[in-house]
Amino acid sequence: MATDTAAPAAMKVDGSALAGRALAAAGARHMFGVVGIPVTSLASRAAAAGVRFLAFRNEQSAGYAAAAYGFLTGSPGLLLTVSGPGCVHGLAGLSHATANAWPLLMVSGSCSQPDAGRGDFQELDQIAATKPFVKIAVKATTIADIPRLVFQALAATVSGRPGGCYLDIPSDVLHQTLTESEAAALIDAAAADSAKSDSSPPKHKSLDEGIEKAAELLRRAERPLVVFGKGAAYSRAEDAIRKLVDTTGIPFLPTPMGKGVVPDTHPLSATAARSLAIGQCDVALVVGARLNWLLHFGEPPKWSKDVKFILVDVCEEEIELRKPHVGIVGDAKRVVELINREIKDQPFCLAPSHPWVEAITKKARDNVLKMEAQLAKDVVPFNFLTPLRIIRDAILAEGNPAPVVVSEGANTMDVGRAVLVQNEPRTRLDAGTWGTMGVGLGFCVAAAVAEPDRLVVAVEGDSGFGFSAMEVETLVRYQLPVVVIVFNNNGVYGGDRRSPDEITGPYKDDPAPTSFVPAAGYHNMMEAFGGKGYLVETPDELKSALSESFRARKPAVINVIIDPYAGAESGRMQHKN
């Protein structure tokens, strides 16, 4: 039988299929989102083209998943939303990604262009709505625009300082068609144009001079300190930073999601001597971390007024804003490699007996011993320390590859940061630069698909868990190896914390604004969807639940009942409340 070779070229491809193929051709492998008018077909077509679609119950959680995926993989996370309110819900993840400098592309359907301005279904000027939160926001006005804009927007997410970008595809464009041959030609042309573009940041004019100055400052410093953040983790700078620390003997301090770039157990870790380290250092090399609220803006009284900052950032505007003693614009990994090379020519090393190293290590050791003395106690009803110690030990017993730890909540995250140990990079995800609550379950899904060989363990406050708790169904649906541990202390900070003079007025009999239903059965939510739930109130019950759930590597919720009076308001940030 003769074959009609002209038939495939004459077949029609609609906008949904073209978008899915373009995303796959651009290297996308996972997409997170919620389907509905007008993007249901786009999700299916993308999956058919090789982009796995993870369907969520809420666009916010899907957006947080896409953001974390961008951090964990270094490739843009993809978020798909419907038009109007779906786009608005997606802004949470989009803005979170930009605030944390993580690459994310949000793709939304929108109302039909001919009906814009007439009150069409879910009509919204989505370009205007997204612009405050993105690097670029672009709109496909015809089907032929789609491949070019897909490649352009994805490239923009990772160029310079990573961040969020937005692609709008109207309903009428999704339904437009062209031939197979036209579709293939458009994708090929977009890929070729993208390949011609040099996405690497240009070499800053003073890079060599900055490297020399940085090395010399560190060499002459009496009390040097290396500080690194999640930007260093994102750039895969762990080997270069570990080499710098080991060859120079300089103590180091990670920001929360920088933990693990150099193991927390390294003898030069200043985490347990943080106040001493930042308060007395005379030269601080800051790599992939901004001098924002997390680092007290690099200002007195937390920092010495005489400290000299060497700031390494991929964004020149950040250098100009902070005005460090030495500013180096460049990728964290590359810059630290160059500093290592510069130091190699005139090597130096602070011995363990060096007064600065000795002061840091002694203070850290003393503080760790004090903490361990508190952790050694089995306090029942549970405070925060007892279950966190048990969880820490269970996670460490997993060995390599280490589980990814997701942490959110006020006290749960704050105390957990001091207790839980990260010895591998990119194994901690938390509320981040924005202090965003509700990221937990989305982050869990992202970690499970980005790091399929790792167990994912979420340590959540009951308030943080509540923002995204319905996503436990998503965990079960995809059978992801995620264990969610809920610290249940009856509310925000621990339930009713009102003073008598606050319990007045016509609504005095209402629950406190910080209160939840006491001893809520969060574990039953997981059971309702077919996962495993545990209710624990004692150390032995917690150890048993962790052992069983870690071994099973199936979706589970462990509901840990905490003394409602064990916590502190605002995660020890009372001055902000």
Side-chain angles (χ1 to χ4, degrees):
M1 179 183 290
T3 301
D4 185 359
T5 56
M11 290 175 63
K12 296 294 184 179
V13 177
D14 67 9
S16 294
L18 184 61
R21 293 184 192 182
L23 289 166
R29 292 296 174 263
H30 292 91
M31 178 188 285
F32 310 87
V34 177
V35 297
I37 296 172
V39 297
T40 304
S41 180
L42 197 164
S44 297
R45 297 291 190 173
V51 182
R52 187 184 187 192
F53 185 79
L54 284 299
F56 279 70
R57 303 298 293 264
N58 179 281
E59 289 97 348
Q60 289 191 14
S61 290
Y64 296 140
Y69 182 90
F71 169 65
L72 291 170
T73 66
S75 299
L78 286 178
L79 169 62
L80 180 67
T81 83
V82 302
S83 51
C87 173
V88 170
H89 292 167
L91 293 179
L94 185 64
S95 54
H96 182 82
T98 297
N100 284 280
W102 294 348
L104 182 154
L105 174 60
M106 180 165 122
V107 180
S108 296
S110 60
C111 75
S112 181
Q113 293 175 102
D115 294 325
R118 302 172 63 197
D120 194 18
F121 176 70
Q122 295 188 337
E123 181 179 341
L124 173 70
D125 184 348
Q126 293 167 198
I127 294 292
T130 56
K131 269 189 175 178
F133 308 107
V134 297
K135 299 173 70 175
I136 63 167
V138 293
K139 183 174 186 174
T141 58
T142 180
I143 187 173
D145 292 337
I146 292 175
R148 172 178 55 83
L149 294 181
V150 163
F151 276 84
Q152 177 189 344
L154 284 171
T157 66
V158 294
S159 66
R161 167 168 284 171
C165 292
Y166 175 69
L167 171 59
D168 188 282
I169 310 180
S171 176
D172 57 302
V173 173
L174 289 169
H175 289 92
Q176 290 174 5
T177 62
L178 38 67
T179 65
E180 282 278 359
S181 58
E182 289 171 330
L186 287 169
I187 292 173
D188 289 345
D193 288 344
S194 179
K196 292 175 187 175
S197 302
D198 182 9
S199 59
S200 60
K203 182 179 178 180
H204 194 250
K205 58 186 177 183
S206 61
L207 178 61
D208 292 338
E209 180 184 351
I211 297 295
E212 293 172 6
K213 286 183 177 179
E216 188 61 21
L217 268 177
L218 291 171
R219 184 179 290 108
R220 293 186 177 186
E222 294 181 7
R223 298 177 302 280
L225 181 68
V226 177
V227 180
F228 48 82
K230 59 181 177 291
Y234 172 83
S235 75
R236 273 59 181 171
E238 53 265 23
D239 290 343
I241 292 176
R242 177 69 183 266
K243 180 179 179 181
L244 176 66
V245 168
D246 287 342
T247 57
T248 64
I250 298 176
F252 67 89
L253 178 70
T255 63
M257 274 189 276
K259 280 165 63 71
V261 166
V262 180
D264 284 349
T265 52
H266 192 286
L268 288 170
S269 172
T271 298
R274 187 178 192 273
S275 295
L276 172 66
I278 68 174
Q280 295 189 19
C281 71
D282 59 351
V283 173
L285 170 63
V286 182
V287 182
R290 283 171 277 181
L291 293 173
N292 57 17
W293 69 276
L294 286 163
L295 288 173
H296 311 289
F297 308 106
E299 297 174 349
K302 296 292 186 181
W303 294 82
S304 166
K305 63 181 177 61
D306 298 319
V307 63
K308 293 180 173 66
F309 285 107
I310 305 165
L311 187 57
V312 178
D313 200 285
V314 75
C315 178
E316 187 169 2
E317 288 77 11
E318 182 71 17
I319 302 290
E320 293 172 352
L321 173 67
R322 307 298 177 183
K323 296 179 173 57
H325 191 79
V326 175
I328 304 175
V329 180
D331 172 75
K333 178 182 178 182
R334 178 60 177 154
V335 169
V336 178
E337 287 174 342
L338 291 173
I339 291 175
N340 282 331
R341 190 172 70 183
E342 183 72 21
I343 288 173
K344 184 180 179 182
D345 294 336
Q346 290 181 271
F348 67 94
C349 184
L350 278 60
S353 59
H354 186 283
W356 174 238
V357 176
E358 204 168 52
I360 292 289
T361 54
K362 182 181 184 303
K363 185 66 172 179
R365 183 172 59 251
D366 290 348
N367 286 343
V368 166
L369 288 173
K370 290 176 185 177
M371 173 69 81
E372 288 300 323
Q374 294 298 312
L375 289 169
K377 304 172 184 175
D378 278 344
V379 178
V380 180
F382 279 142
N383 60 9
F384 284 87
L385 292 176
T386 297
L388 279 168
R389 181 205 78 221
I390 296 169
I391 293 165
R392 178 198 65 184
D393 293 347
I395 290 172
L396 288 173
E398 288 293 296
N400 298 322
V404 175
V405 175
V406 175
S407 182
E408 69 173 328
N411 295 280
T412 308
M413 182 176 66
D414 187 44
V415 181
R417 184 169 56 246
V419 176
L420 301 178
V421 175
Q422 264 71 51
N423 286 327
E424 297 179 39
R426 296 170 296 281
T427 55
R428 178 181 171 84
L429 295 167
D430 65 22
T433 303
W434 252 13
T436 309
M437 291 296 109
V439 296
L441 274 292
F443 279 10
C444 287
V445 176
V449 300
E451 298 281 356
D453 295 332
R454 297 183 190 267
L455 176 69
V456 181
V457 180
V459 186
E460 303 261 307
D462 52 356
S463 175
F465 175 68
F467 281 86
S468 61
M470 192 63 185
E471 302 300 343
V472 298
E473 187 272 338
T474 307
L475 301 180
V476 174
R477 192 169 2 115
Y478 292 102
Q479 283 297 293
L480 300 175
V482 176
V483 177
V484 181
I485 305 165
V486 181
F487 277 43
N488 184 352
N489 63 353
N490 300 346
V492 181
Y493 315 136
D496 194 343
R497 296 298 183 91
R498 294 175 295 177
S499 59
D501 65 314
E502 292 177 294
I503 309 175
T504 59
Y507 304 109
K508 60 182 175 60
D509 294 329
D510 275 0
T514 55
S515 295
F516 299 152
V517 171
Y522 297 120
H523 57 295
N524 291 324
M525 286 188 66
M526 179 59 90
E527 295 272 355
F529 296 113
K532 181 66 175 177
Y534 303 85
L535 175 65
V536 305
E537 300 183 67
T538 69
D540 286 343
E541 289 173 347
L542 180 54
K543 290 174 185 176
S544 176
L546 290 169
S547 176
E548 183 178 311
S549 61
F550 282 17
R551 186 169 59 251
R553 291 183 173 248
K554 297 287 186 180
V557 167
I558 302 175
N559 187 8
V560 182
I561 304 300
I562 304 290
D563 181 348
Y565 296 100
E569 191 213 2
S570 298
R572 301 177 184 173
M573 290 183 65
Q574 291 90 339
H575 67 289
K576 296 285 187 182
N577 200 355

